[in-house]
Amino acid sequence: MTIDDQIQAAVRAAVREEVRAVVLSTLPEAIRRATEPEHMTREEAADYLGISTRSLDYRIKERRLPSVKRGRRVLIPTDALREYLDEATIAARGADG
């Protein structure tokens, strides 16, 4: 095996390991997004956030959470709920010190 062959083998192994790491780090997020609903009902969203539907309605009324009305149903985008939780978590960490 020549030096060039050894270098090519080392590069292939490094690239293979890097691709594997990237796939493994992004795959759970991709699976979650593929299986998660695009919108949640008021009840589902309140349960997801761990609050009452009344508290959820207040946040929607105050425009702290976006909502979409489809017929008589009020739906909340799942991405918005995740962002809301992330922001609340960051704010809580900032308040702790």
Side-chain angles (χ1 to χ4, degrees):
M1 187 177 240
T2 67
I3 297 287
D4 287 340
D5 292 339
Q6 291 174 349
I7 292 171
Q8 284 181 349
V11 168
R12 280 191 196 113
V15 168
R16 188 179 311 117
E17 185 56 36
E18 187 63 29
V19 168
R20 182 179 182 277
V22 169
V23 168
L24 290 177
S25 69
T26 58
L27 193 57
E29 176 69 13
I31 290 171
R32 183 187 53 73
R33 286 189 176 271
T35 58
E36 191 174 68
E38 188 175 339
H39 294 87
M40 290 188 192
T41 64
R42 290 172 51 249
E43 292 77 14
E44 292 168 335
D47 187 52
Y48 183 81
L49 295 176
I51 61 175
S52 67
T53 54
R54 187 177 184 141
S55 293
L56 179 75
D57 291 340
Y58 176 76
R59 286 167 174 83
I60 291 170
K61 181 181 176 188
E62 295 293 314
R63 297 190 185 271
R64 291 165 52 194
L65 276 173
S67 65
V68 177
K69 194 156 186 181
R70 294 218 177 125
R72 299 174 77 189
R73 295 183 348 155
V74 175
L75 302 174
I76 299 89
T78 303
D79 286 341
L81 293 169
R82 195 175 315 102
E83 288 174 20
Y84 182 83
L85 277 180
D86 290 344
E87 290 171 9
T89 301
I90 291 169
R93 286 184 185 155
D96 289 344

